[in-house]
Amino acid sequence: MERNLYRGCLVGHAVGDALGAPVEFMSRLQIIREVGPDGVRGFLPWTTSACSFPPGSYTDDTQMMFATATALLDSLAEWRASGIDTKVDCAYERYLAWRGSQDEPGQARRPGQTCLASLRSGRMGTIDDPINDRKGSGGIMRVAPIGLAAEPERAFEIAAEVAAITHGHPSGYVAAGFYADVIARLLRGSPVPEAVAEARELLLGWEGYEETLDAVDLAVELYISDVHPVEAIRMIGEGWIAEEALGIALLCAMSYPEDWEEGTLAAVNITGDSDTTGALTGALLGVHLGVKEIPAALVRNIEDSGAIHDVADKLFDAFAVV
């Protein structure tokens, strides 16, 4: 395993998120009208009702991804001290801290209402005791670091458990498990279609897998067809729910396996949840290709670039098998 791939995953996630943030909630037609015929090609400013953010600013997707990465490091320290695996509990504690930060205007980056409501409830959702029946993309958007810290199959299990903290519908957490498992396989050198096919076999062993399976199979079917990616993405959906966000990210990664920029921009310039689909695709292609394949200007100008590299390096030092 290479440090470059760990950096690629986390930086790719943040960059994809920041590219998509200004055009989230826009239709593809609106993006073309307002940005230009080529759509988003670089960082743009964006706003919330309370604050304006400069180009390169990321959203709650990357805030929560950071929380997951930090939780994994917390858990490793506890495991070394006690021998007890506390990844899910540590994630819950980090998410609670994130929820507290959302009262600050500069930190409130369009937080998902399901995440906020779940974390305000006073209890932690689990797969066996679901906190709700929601399956929005707020669960899948934060689990990429788990694929860097756990082996395939175990990454699926942990990510599903972590997503279930806030999202209780099977599609909300099973899609997250699938995504983290693909990250783990790409990290170990599997080509994108092979990683997807292997994760699919695991998926069939989970209860409530059907909607996620449909989205995965549709992404694969469209990838091998002659349907243009722009039209293919529209056929999958808008990415507001977990299985659609997963399907769009898989399609874009399979369609542009050697081109981080084109694959991620394809996921950004859509009608739908552009920051999440951008983040998911950016992380997939980032762990597949490495940070050196992400345009240098984007890497340099993403918010907290140094901190993202630092966390990626800590995950590498803690979890990489060399």
Side-chain angles (χ1 to χ4, degrees), residues 22-40 44-45:
V23 295
E24 186 185 15
F25 308 116
M26 288 188 189
S27 69
R28 178 174 171 80
L29 182 58
Q30 286 176 307
I31 294 171
I32 291 171
R33 284 175 176 170
E34 295 192 22
V35 180
D38 295 329
V40 174
L44 300 169

Side-chain angles (χ1 to χ4, degrees), residues 6-310:
Y6 279 69
R7 292 176 175 178
C9 184
L10 300 197
V11 173
H13 184 286
V15 171
D17 178 12
L19 286 167
V23 295
E24 186 185 15
F25 308 116
M26 288 188 189
S27 69
R28 178 174 171 80
L29 182 58
Q30 286 176 307
I31 294 171
I32 291 171
R33 284 175 176 170
E34 295 192 22
V35 180
D38 295 329
V40 174
R41 301 293 303 182
F43 292 142
L44 300 169
W46 56 280
T47 63
T48 66
S49 60
C51 202
S52 297
F53 298 96
S57 300
Y58 52 70
T59 76
D60 62 315
D61 293 45
T62 298
Q63 289 178 326
M64 294 198 79
M65 180 275 286
F66 259 125
T68 303
T70 307
L72 293 168
L73 296 169
D74 294 342
S75 176
L76 181 62
E78 291 196 19
W79 182 84
R80 286 171 173 166
S82 66
I84 300 173
D85 189 337
T86 60
K87 291 184 180 67
V88 180
D89 290 338
C90 286
Y92 181 54
E93 292 301 318
R94 287 287 177 173
Y95 296 159
L96 289 176
W98 167 82
R99 191 269 301 166
S101 75
Q102 297 305 290
D103 294 331
E104 305 171 29
Q107 291 301 311
R109 310 287 183 93
R110 299 180 185 151
Q113 294 305 305
T114 297
C115 289
L116 292 177
S118 298
L119 295 168
R120 286 171 177 154
S121 71
R123 73 182 183 93
M124 183 178 78
T126 68
I127 291 173
D128 293 332
D129 183 19
I131 195 166
N132 52 39
D133 65 350
R134 307 304 295 272
K135 60 172 184 174
S137 60
I140 192 173
M141 73 185 191
R142 63 187 190 236
V143 300
I146 295 170
L148 304 179
E151 295 182 355
E153 189 166 353
R154 182 58 179 145
F156 198 127
E157 296 168 357
I158 296 170
E161 292 168 357
V162 165
I165 291 173
T166 56
H167 289 69
H169 190 288
S171 299
Y173 57 78
V174 171
F178 189 104
Y179 177 75
D181 192 83
V182 171
I183 292 279
R185 295 177 190 279
L186 294 177
L187 180 64
R188 288 159 176 80
S190 293
V192 182
E194 181 179 311
V196 173
E198 291 171 348
R200 184 185 185 280
E201 293 303 308
L202 283 180
L203 174 64
L204 300 178
W206 284 75
E207 292 186 11
Y209 68 84
E210 291 83 2
E211 290 179 340
T212 301
L213 178 65
D214 287 345
V216 170
D217 284 352
L218 178 58
V220 172
E221 177 184 338
L222 291 168
Y223 158 63
I224 62 178
S225 75
D226 58 1
V227 178
H228 190 278
V230 170
E231 176 62 17
I233 291 169
R234 189 194 64 78
M235 295 171 69
I236 293 173
E238 297 186 358
W240 300 110
I241 53 178
E243 69 269 27
E244 289 182 2
L246 172 65
I248 291 169
L250 295 178
L251 172 67
C252 292
M254 288 187 290
S255 298
Y256 301 93
E258 303 305 320
D259 193 330
W260 185 94
E261 185 173 22
E262 292 306 316
T264 302
L265 290 176
V268 163
N269 288 293
I270 68 169
T271 299
D273 195 2
S274 298
D275 60 329
T276 296
T277 51
L280 296 181
T281 306
L284 286 174
L285 288 172
V287 73
H288 177 54
L289 299 172
V291 73
K292 296 175 183 178
E293 295 302 316
I294 303 174
L298 297 178
V299 175
R300 183 172 59 252
N301 293 316
I302 184 64
E303 179 182 6
D304 293 330
S305 181
I308 299 170
H309 280 78
D310 182 59

